[in-house]
Amino acid sequence: MELNRLTAHQLLELIKVNSIESQEIISFLEKRIKEIDNKLNAYVRKDRTVDVKSEENTEGFLKGIPISIKDNICTKWLPTECCSKILEGFLPPYDATVIEKLKSYGAKIFPLKTNMDEFAFGSSTENSYFGPTHNPWNLECVAGGSSGGSAAAVASDEAIFALGTDTGGSIRQPASFCGVVGLKPTYGRVSRYGLIAFASSLDVIGPITKDVYDSALLLNIIAGYDPRDSTSVNIEVPDYLKALNLDIKGIKIGIPKEYFVEGLDKQVKESLDEAISVFKKLGAECREVYLPHTEYAVAVYYIIATAEASSNLARFDGIQYGYRIKQKNLISLYKKTRGQGFGQEAKRRIILGTFTLAHGYYEAYYLRALKVRTLIKNDFDEVFKEVDCLVTPTSPTPAFKIGEKIRDPLKMYLSDIFTISANLAGIPAISIPCGFTKNNLPIGLQILSSPFNEEMVLRVAYNFEQNTVWHKIKPKL
Ligand code: GLN
């Protein structure tokens, strides 16, 4: 049996009856990566030899099952470079809280990190210093972004499961493009300690998995309060696997009208309509709802996210981390290092963010964006008084061609139109496979619910998955 093809829960079942060593699973993954990753580029720095002292406890619950980690989550003594030249060679001296937790549960941190857009800026993984990740379903297409490496690795069985991060859709959109499950938890549900910040009020770490069961299993491990992250929330973490046992009879599903508009791909729309009829068959009540401020989400997001990014990236100055161009005077060291260390998109965001925070523009842009963000959040608060969850497409289109949008940032930004609102409002949302286009590209469906109601999101997703076959279909590589 090819162990790399299994999910974490399938491996756990197998380990119960057979003694499988962590190393066996890793060997299967390594073989797979050797075979196909030159085509996909889901992992970075594959030629690197890693020599990390293993601190893992393979006796824990996960029994040494390997997990793949996005390149912006700190892993002790394992390069963490955000796929940026400016962090070249950065070795964190500590683990992110999620990594500590995974290790304490007996996970093995896979020594290669997954590819991503530089500092998670992007929707296609084309902004990576290490080149784009290709979509396992069609190598000419993008894998989505910014967690494109994690999504492609999971979809192509180069990983058992993975962690991604989501600031405006970076877990859900690549999951939808690659035909896997991506969960963005509520802001504050999972510690951000050790996540290299993009936009601190929006960033969340979450699971990218082959099915919904693994998503719940992984969330059980990484969720919870962390005194080292002042924005993590100190409330009880339920057992997310328990939520999967419940059916969805009588559950009220809202279908937001604003998400079914011009620009929505016809085949995506058809898959969504079919999915809605599945929910109805399972006894859910579906009704149209309204989120009137949706049209402002992209604009608001790109003001807030770039403002926060410009401030977060100020620390990369060639002094403390990674890349440095030595100069006689300090200012020119900063200039040279930052000028050469950051890629185009990072520079664009630093400039945009600095502009909207500048004296004289702050009120007109940043402050106004914050106010509209509140209106967007209020829309969700209102709607969740009426319905238990919302169902929407994850992305208006399936995966697009590599190179298609990279020269037109506005077009690229618009591909996040359905995922961004969840980050602005801080609510949980999942993307699960719900069909394929005629050209055999996966289509994703998004389920959103009220803050800290991941149970509802997972429960509705699981019921759908158990009654459809989409998650079982694998790319031919
Ligand atoms: N595509 C969005 C952006 O470029 C979201 C990225 C993310 O979630 N990290 O900002």
Side-chain angles (χ1 to χ4, degrees):
M1 188 183 312
E2 291 173 288
L3 299 178
N4 57 310
R5 297 197 177 268
L6 302 182
T7 62
H9 64 90
Q10 286 168 338
L11 280 166
L12 286 173
E13 286 302 313
L14 206 63
I15 291 169
K16 264 192 213 152
V17 288
N18 258 315
S19 64
I20 296 171
E21 297 284 323
S22 179
Q23 194 47 50
E24 276 179 76
I25 311 170
I26 293 195
S27 301
F28 272 100
L29 292 173
E30 283 171 347
K31 181 164 167 269
R32 180 76 172 157
I33 292 167
K34 251 203 192 107
E35 276 166 13
I36 62 167
D37 206 58
N38 57 343
K39 292 187 219 155
L40 292 180
N41 200 26
Y43 287 98
V44 298
R45 298 212 182 274
K46 291 181 278 284
D47 48 355
R48 196 190 57 219
T49 50
V50 273
D51 180 25
V52 272
K53 273 191 234 82
S54 179
E55 296 171 14
E56 287 101 4
N57 105 59
T58 48
E59 287 311 302
F61 171 79
L62 284 176
K63 304 281 178 218
I65 295 177
I67 180 159
S68 301
I69 309 291
K70 188 175 176 180
D71 201 30
N72 58 350
I73 301 174
C74 285
T75 40
K76 194 171 174 179
W77 306 134
L78 204 62
T80 301
E81 300 168 305
C82 290
C83 290
S84 175
K85 183 172 181 180
I86 208 156
L87 272 175
E88 200 165 69
F90 173 56
L91 287 175
Y94 67 99
D95 273 326
T97 297
V98 290
I99 302 295
E100 269 184 4
K101 286 192 174 203
L102 280 164
K103 284 182 176 173
S104 78
Y105 274 83
K108 166 95 189 163
I109 304 304
F110 196 69
L112 297 176
K113 305 291 281 274
T114 58
N115 201 1
M116 57 183 278
D117 286 295
E118 180 179 15
F119 287 105
F121 300 154
S123 317
S124 66
T125 314
E126 289 169 287
N127 295 326
S128 167
Y129 176 54
F130 301 106
T133 296
H134 296 248
N135 191 304
W137 293 89
N138 179 340
L139 297 174
E140 287 173 20
C141 291
V142 302
S146 63
S147 314
S150 288
V154 170
S156 62
D157 294 315
E158 287 185 339
I160 304 300
F161 53 179
L163 286 185
T165 63
D166 194 310
T167 305
S170 277
I171 288 177
R172 292 160 286 156
Q173 186 255 25
S176 115
F177 281 13
C178 293
V180 294
V181 175
L183 172 66
K184 171 210 140 7
T186 307
Y187 181 80
R189 176 88 284 184
V190 175
S191 168
R192 289 184 294 114
Y193 179 78
L195 163 64
I196 299 178
F198 159 5
S200 310
S201 78
L202 301 160
D203 296 342
V204 197
I205 299 175
I208 297 184
T209 56
K210 293 175 190 174
D211 65 10
V212 176
Y213 195 97
D214 266 10
S215 188
L217 184 132
L218 196 45
L219 186 61
N220 270 351
I221 295 172
I222 62 172
Y225 173 64
D226 178 7
R228 293 180 295 190
D229 170 5
S230 60
T231 58
S232 81
V233 177
N234 196 355
I235 54 172
E236 207 184 316
V237 180
D239 179 354
Y240 294 109
L241 287 170
K242 271 204 186 129
L244 307 185
N245 296 328
L246 304 170
D247 65 29
I248 57 165
K249 272 193 204 91
I251 290 287
K252 292 190 201 85
I253 297 180
I255 317 288
K257 185 163 181 284
E258 293 78 6
Y259 284 62
F260 292 83
V261 287
E262 212 188 316
L264 178 62
D265 180 275
K266 198 169 139 265
Q267 297 183 73
V268 174
K269 162 96 173 55
E270 282 166 12
S271 286
L272 254 289
D273 288 342
E274 263 174 52
I276 290 164
S277 65
V278 172
F279 288 122
K280 283 184 185 155
K281 260 190 227 133
L282 295 173
E285 279 171 41
C286 299
R287 67 165 87 139
E288 189 170 77
V289 294
Y290 305 94
L291 297 164
H293 296 93
T294 300
E295 62 175 303
Y296 306 112
V298 173
V300 166
Y301 170 85
Y302 277 96
I303 292 172
I304 294 176
T306 55
E308 293 185 21
S310 72
S311 152
N312 276 323
L313 263 50
R315 73 189 64 155
F316 303 111
D317 54 6
I319 303 297
Q320 303 180 72
Y321 315 92
Y323 188 67
R324 172 185 306 166
I325 299 181
K326 288 204 183 108
Q327 295 289 300
K328 288 223 169 64
N329 89 40
L330 187 62
I331 299 297
S332 63
L333 183 149
Y334 288 158
K335 280 187 180 163
K336 278 254 159 43
T337 303
R338 286 172 67 87
Q340 292 183 25
F342 286 125
Q344 263 223 320
E345 184 61 24
K347 286 181 193 162
R348 183 178 292 125
R349 293 191 188 210
I350 292 171
I351 292 169
L352 202 62
T354 308
F355 172 78
T356 58
L357 288 176
H359 182 69
Y361 296 103
Y362 175 91
E363 278 85 7
Y365 294 103
Y366 184 69
L367 198 62
R368 183 165 303 174
L370 289 185
K371 288 178 182 166
V372 183
R373 179 179 187 175
T374 304
L375 297 177
I376 291 169
K377 180 174 184 308
N378 291 348
D379 281 356
F380 283 109
D381 289 347
E382 282 308 308
V383 99
F384 289 128
K385 287 182 189 157
E386 277 175 52
V387 296
D388 301 297
C389 67
L390 300 169
V391 167
T392 77
T394 306
S395 171
T397 65
F400 43 88
K401 288 264 162 71
I402 292 179
E404 190 181 321
K405 302 192 181 184
I406 195 73
R407 265 171 224 95
D408 187 347
L410 283 183
K411 224 172 166 188
M412 187 72 90
Y413 295 172
L414 280 173
S415 63
D416 306 323
I417 189 155
F418 297 153
T419 47
I420 272 173
S421 299
N423 300 75
L424 291 171
I427 61 177
I430 199 169
S431 176
I432 55 172
C434 74
F436 287 90
T437 65
K438 289 192 195 81
N439 297 332
N440 211 29
L441 285 171
I443 297 172
L445 160 128
Q446 180 176 228
I447 304 164
L448 310 93
S449 193
S450 48
F452 299 98
N453 204 354
E454 283 81 4
E455 286 166 293
M456 177 61 67
V457 163
L458 287 161
R459 169 181 171 188
V460 174
Y462 188 70
N463 274 273
F464 181 82
E465 189 187 79
Q466 293 305 298
N467 288 282
T468 52
V469 296
W470 310 117
H471 67 292
K472 292 190 184 147
I473 306 172
K474 300 251 185 177
K476 291 187 187 63
L477 271 159

